[in-house]
Amino acid sequence: MFCALKIEGKMSFIDLFDFIGTFFFAMSGTLAATSKRMDWFGAMFIGFVTAVGGGTVRDLLMGVTPVSWIQTMTYTYCILAAVLVALFFRKHVMQWRKTMFLFDTIGIGVFTIIGLEKALNADILPALSVMMGLSTAVVGGVIRDTLCNDIPLIFKKEIYATACLAGAIIFLIMRKLGVPSEINQMVAIGTIITIRLIAIRQNWSFPRFDDTK
Amino acid sequence: MFCALKIEGKMSFIDLFDFIGTFFFAMSGTLAATSKRMDWFGAMFIGFVTAVGGGTVRDLLMGVTPVSWIQTMTYTYCILAAVLVALFFRKHVMQWRKTMFLFDTIGIGVFTIIGLEKALNADILPALSVMMGLSTAVVGGVIRDTLCNDIPLIFKKEIYATACLAGAIIFLIMRKLGVPSEINQMVAIGTIITIRLIAIRQNWSFPRFDDTK
Amino acid sequence: MFCALKIEGKMSFIDLFDFIGTFFFAMSGTLAATSKRMDWFGAMFIGFVTAVGGGTVRDLLMGVTPVSWIQTMTYTYCILAAVLVALFFRKHVMQWRKTMFLFDTIGIGVFTIIGLEKALNADILPALSVMMGLSTAVVGGVIRDTLCNDIPLIFKKEIYATACLAGAIIFLIMRKLGVPSEINQMVAIGTIITIRLIAIRQNWSFPRFDDTK
C-alpha cells in the first residue's frame, strides 16, 4: 500500500499489483481471524488492518495525512471483496494454498517497492526509505498476529523480510544508475518474489536465537 | 471521543454524553487491568488508553493533530476520576453491573455518532466516515484487551459493532433527508443503545467461524 | 527520545544521554526478542520499536511529523550498533546486568525529561506534558512486551513510572522557579535515577490489585 490509484486514465502495472497485494493481505487477515473463531466483525476488522496497517504506519511516520485509504473508496471495495471471498470460500481456500501464496508474495514485493519509492520521493534518506518499504510490507501482518494474540510469524519463521531487503537494495542501486522507474520496479519486485519462492521451495529459514543453549 | 467541549457557554447533550462515555470507558479499562493483577500505573495507563484510544486513532488517520485530549484538561480530569472510582469501589462495582452496562452502552453510541459526524464534517466519504465512527467506538476496547494479552472481546462475543453500524447508517440517511443534527444524533444514539440492550436481553450473538468443522 | 541531535557543534550532555538511552532501550528489545526465540528480523524490529516507540507515539500525538528518527541516520546507527552488540554478546550480557540496569535507568530518566520539555515547548499544558514525558519513557517497553506476547512488565512489577512521575514534577516546579534548563534537567534526571536505584535495592514495588481476595 498505497500508490495513488488512477482509476480514470491508464492504470499502471504497479497499481494493479497494489490491488492484488491489498486483496490477498485482506484475505490472510480474514483467514487468521476465522482460525481464531471470531465473528464477522473480527474477520472484517483484522482483514482491514492487515491490508492497510503497513501503509498507514508509514504514512503516519512520514506525516502524510489523511492516510491514503480514507481518501478513496477503492481500497475499501477491494478489501470488502477479499473478506467476503475469504469467508465464503474458506473451506476451499486450503486447496488454493499455492495460488494464494504466490499472490501474497506479489503483494509483499509490491508493497515494499511502493513504500520505498514513496519515502524516497518525500526526500527521506535512502536507508530510512528502505525501512519505510519494509514497514509497508510487514507491519500489517505484525498487527494481524498481535490482535490474534500470537507472536508475529515474521519474527520467527518467515524469510520474507530478507527478500524485501534484497529487493529494496537492488532498487536503490538501479535508481542511482538511472534505470527508468517502471523497469526498476519490475526487476526489484521480481527479485523479492523469486527469493521468497526459492526460499520456500528450499525450506530456507534463518537460525533463531536460542538462549537456553 | 471527542467533540470539542464547551465548558463555558451552554453544554450540549452530546458533550455531556461524551463525558459519560469517556468516564465509563476509563472504568472498564481500569477494571480489566485490576482483573489482570496490575499495579496503579497499569490501571491508570489502560484506563486512559481505553477511553481515548478510539478517538486518537481516528484523529491520527484523519490528520487532526495535536489530538483532542492533549489540548484540554477536561478528558484527563474525567478519566482520573473514573480510574479512582473504579479502584476504590471495585469490590462493589460488580453489584452495579447493570448500571455500568447501561452507561457503557451510552458511551458506545455517543462515540460512534461523534466520530461519524467529525469525519463527515472533514469531507470524508460517507462509507469511510461510518468506519471512522465505528473505530472511535471500538478501538479503545481493542487496545485494552490487547494490552491485557487477550483476544479483543468485540471480535468474538459482542454484538455492539453491529448496533453501531445500524445507528451510523440511520444517521447518514436522516442527514441526507435534512433532519436537524441534534434530533438526528438523539435518534441514532437511541437506536444503538436499544439494539444493544435488546441483543443482551435476548442473548443474541453472531455465529463465530469455526474452521474445525 | 529525541532531542534534535547536534552532531556538528557542541553536543549537550542531554544529547549524549539520549544516545545512551536509545542504545540500551534497543538492547533490551533485542534481548527480549532472543528470549522468545526470534530470528534476526524479529530481534532488529523489536530492538528498533523499543528504542523509538515512546518518542514516536509522543510525536504523533502532538502532530510533530515526520517523526524525529526518520530525519537523521543518527538514531538508526545507534540502534543498529545496540542490536549487534546485544546479539553477539548476549551470552555474556547477563554478567553485565548491573551495568545494563544502570544505563537503562539513565535512559528512562532522560527520555522522561526530553519528552516533558518538548511538550512544554509546544505549549502543551503542564499536567499533559508530564504524561507526554512518561509516554516517551514507557511506551517503547509496552510495545516490546506486547509484540512478545507478554503483559507489559511496567504494569505489574516495575516501579519506574513512579520515579519518572516524581522527576517530572520536580522539573516542573524548578522550571516555575526559574532554575536554568541544564541544571533543572540534571537534577530531575538524577532524581529519577536515584529513586529507581533505591527502589530496586530495597525491593520496593507497589501493591498489585487482586480481585480474587
Side-chain angles (χ1 to χ4, degrees):
Chain A
M1 290 228 110
F2 321 85
C3 55
L5 288 161
K6 302 137 217 155
I7 296 303
E8 310 155 50
K10 230 179 61 187
M11 197 198 211
S12 68
F13 93 99
I14 205 162
D15 293 336
L16 177 68
F17 279 13
D18 186 24
F19 267 120
I20 295 177
T22 302
F23 191 92
F24 283 90
F25 269 49
M27 279 190 76
S28 95
T30 304
L31 294 172
T34 62
S35 79
K36 291 283 178 169
R37 310 202 55 222
M38 297 185 189
D39 62 17
W40 76 268
F41 184 73
M44 194 83 92
F45 190 100
I46 293 185
F48 220 97
V49 296
T50 307
V52 305
T56 299
V57 168
R58 181 204 61 220
D59 282 354
L60 291 179
L61 293 176
M62 287 172 39
V64 179
T65 52
V67 296
S68 330
W69 63 268
I70 66 169
Q71 307 198 51
T72 160
M73 284 303 290
T74 322
Y75 290 106
T76 300
Y77 288 141
C78 179
I79 291 167
L80 284 181
V83 171
L84 292 177
V85 169
L87 290 183
F88 282 111
F89 298 102
R90 78 205 146 78
K91 314 257 168 174
H92 307 277
V93 160
M94 289 300 117
Q95 301 162 25
W96 315 333
R97 274 181 86 95
K98 281 190 185 171
T99 319
M100 276 212 44
F101 180 78
L102 181 64
F103 285 117
D104 181 54
T105 303
I106 294 172
I108 286 164
V110 177
F111 282 15
T112 305
I113 302 304
I114 290 174
L116 169 58
E117 216 171 5
K118 281 203 156 197
L120 288 170
N121 292 340
D123 286 324
I124 305 287
L125 293 169
L128 296 168
S129 293
V130 169
M131 286 175 54
M132 293 297 103
L134 260 76
S135 299
T136 312
V138 311
V139 168
V142 168
I143 300 176
R144 174 198 64 210
D145 296 344
T146 303
L147 289 178
C148 288
N149 207 8
D150 291 323
I151 289 187
L153 197 64
I154 193 165
F155 295 163
K156 294 204 145 179
K157 283 195 204 126
E158 264 285 12
I159 199 170
Y160 76 76
T162 312
C164 296
L165 186 61
I169 290 171
I170 286 172
F171 185 90
L172 276 187
I173 294 171
M174 294 201 303
R175 186 180 157 108
K176 202 91 182 172
L177 297 175
V179 177
S181 178
E182 291 248 322
I183 295 173
N184 198 351
Q185 290 170 350
M186 293 194 70
V187 174
I189 293 169
T191 305
I192 296 172
I193 294 171
T194 309
I195 294 178
R196 192 185 186 202
L197 293 184
I198 295 176
I200 294 288
R201 183 167 297 245
Q202 303 289 329
N203 211 10
W204 285 347
S205 75
F206 280 105
R208 295 202 259 153
F209 298 103
D210 187 350
D211 287 348
T212 58
K213 277 186 268 184
Chain B
M1 288 230 114
F2 319 82
C3 56
L5 289 162
K6 301 138 220 154
I7 295 304
E8 310 155 49
K10 229 180 61 187
M11 198 197 210
S12 69
F13 94 98
I14 206 162
D15 294 336
L16 176 68
F17 278 13
D18 185 24
F19 267 119
I20 294 176
T22 301
F23 190 91
F24 283 90
F25 269 49
M27 278 190 79
S28 94
T30 304
L31 294 171
T34 63
S35 79
K36 291 282 179 169
R37 309 201 56 222
M38 297 185 189
D39 63 17
W40 77 267
F41 184 72
M44 194 85 91
F45 191 100
I46 295 185
F48 220 98
V49 298
T50 306
V52 305
T56 299
V57 168
R58 180 204 62 219
D59 282 353
L60 292 179
L61 294 175
M62 287 172 41
V64 178
T65 51
V67 297
S68 331
W69 62 268
I70 66 168
Q71 306 196 53
T72 159
M73 284 302 290
T74 321
Y75 290 106
T76 300
Y77 289 141
C78 179
I79 292 166
L80 284 181
V83 171
L84 291 177
V85 168
L87 290 183
F88 283 112
F89 298 101
R90 78 207 144 76
K91 314 257 168 174
H92 307 277
V93 160
M94 288 301 116
Q95 300 163 23
W96 316 332
R97 274 182 86 95
K98 280 191 184 171
T99 319
M100 277 212 44
F101 180 79
L102 181 64
F103 284 117
D104 181 54
T105 303
I106 294 174
I108 286 164
V110 176
F111 282 13
T112 305
I113 301 305
I114 290 175
L116 168 58
E117 216 171 7
K118 281 204 154 193
L120 290 170
N121 291 342
D123 286 323
I124 306 287
L125 293 168
L128 296 168
S129 293
V130 170
M131 286 177 51
M132 293 298 104
L134 260 75
S135 299
T136 311
V138 310
V139 167
V142 168
I143 300 176
R144 175 197 64 210
D145 296 344
T146 303
L147 289 178
C148 288
N149 208 7
D150 291 323
I151 290 187
L153 197 65
I154 192 163
F155 295 163
K156 293 203 146 182
K157 282 193 205 128
E158 263 286 11
I159 201 172
Y160 77 75
T162 312
C164 296
L165 187 60
I169 290 171
I170 285 171
F171 184 91
L172 276 186
I173 294 171
M174 293 201 303
R175 188 180 155 108
K176 201 91 183 173
L177 297 175
V179 176
S181 178
E182 291 248 322
I183 295 172
N184 198 351
Q185 290 171 350
M186 294 194 71
V187 174
I189 293 170
T191 306
I192 295 172
I193 294 171
T194 309
I195 295 178
R196 193 183 185 204
L197 293 183
I198 295 176
I200 293 288
R201 184 168 295 246
Q202 303 289 328
N203 212 9
W204 285 346
S205 75
F206 281 105
R208 294 203 259 153
F209 298 105
D210 187 351
D211 288 349
T212 57
K213 277 185 268 186
Chain C
M1 290 228 109
F2 319 85
C3 56
L5 289 161
K6 300 137 218 155
I7 296 302
E8 311 155 50
K10 229 180 59 187
M11 197 197 211
S12 68
F13 94 98
I14 206 161
D15 294 338
L16 177 69
F17 279 14
D18 186 24
F19 268 120
I20 294 176
T22 302
F23 191 91
F24 283 90
F25 269 49
M27 278 190 77
S28 96
T30 304
L31 294 171
T34 63
S35 79
K36 291 284 179 169
R37 307 200 58 220
M38 298 186 188
D39 63 17
W40 77 268
F41 184 71
M44 195 83 91
F45 191 100
I46 294 185
F48 220 97
V49 298
T50 306
V52 304
T56 300
V57 168
R58 180 204 62 219
D59 282 353
L60 292 178
L61 294 175
M62 288 173 37
V64 179
T65 52
V67 295
S68 331
W69 62 268
I70 66 169
Q71 306 198 53
T72 159
M73 284 302 289
T74 321
Y75 290 106
T76 301
Y77 288 141
C78 179
I79 292 166
L80 284 181
V83 171
L84 292 177
V85 168
L87 290 183
F88 282 112
F89 298 102
R90 76 205 146 78
K91 314 257 170 177
H92 307 277
V93 161
M94 288 302 116
Q95 301 162 23
W96 315 332
R97 275 182 85 94
K98 281 192 184 171
T99 319
M100 277 210 45
F101 180 78
L102 180 65
F103 285 116
D104 181 54
T105 303
I106 294 173
I108 286 164
V110 177
F111 282 14
T112 305
I113 301 304
I114 290 175
L116 168 58
E117 215 171 5
K118 281 203 155 194
L120 290 170
N121 292 341
D123 285 325
I124 305 287
L125 293 168
L128 296 168
S129 293
V130 170
M131 286 176 52
M132 293 298 104
L134 260 75
S135 300
T136 311
V138 310
V139 167
V142 168
I143 300 176
R144 174 198 64 209
D145 296 344
T146 303
L147 289 178
C148 288
N149 207 7
D150 292 321
I151 290 187
L153 197 63
I154 193 164
F155 296 164
K156 293 204 146 180
K157 283 193 204 128
E158 265 285 12
I159 201 172
Y160 77 75
T162 312
C164 296
L165 186 60
I169 290 171
I170 285 172
F171 184 90
L172 277 186
I173 294 171
M174 293 202 302
R175 188 181 155 106
K176 203 90 183 172
L177 297 175
V179 177
S181 178
E182 291 247 321
I183 295 173
N184 198 351
Q185 289 170 351
M186 293 194 71
V187 174
I189 293 170
T191 306
I192 296 172
I193 294 171
T194 308
I195 294 179
R196 192 183 185 205
L197 293 184
I198 294 177
I200 292 289
R201 185 168 292 248
Q202 303 289 329
N203 213 9
W204 285 347
S205 76
F206 280 106
R208 295 202 260 153
F209 298 104
D210 186 352
D211 288 349
T212 57
K213 278 185 269 185

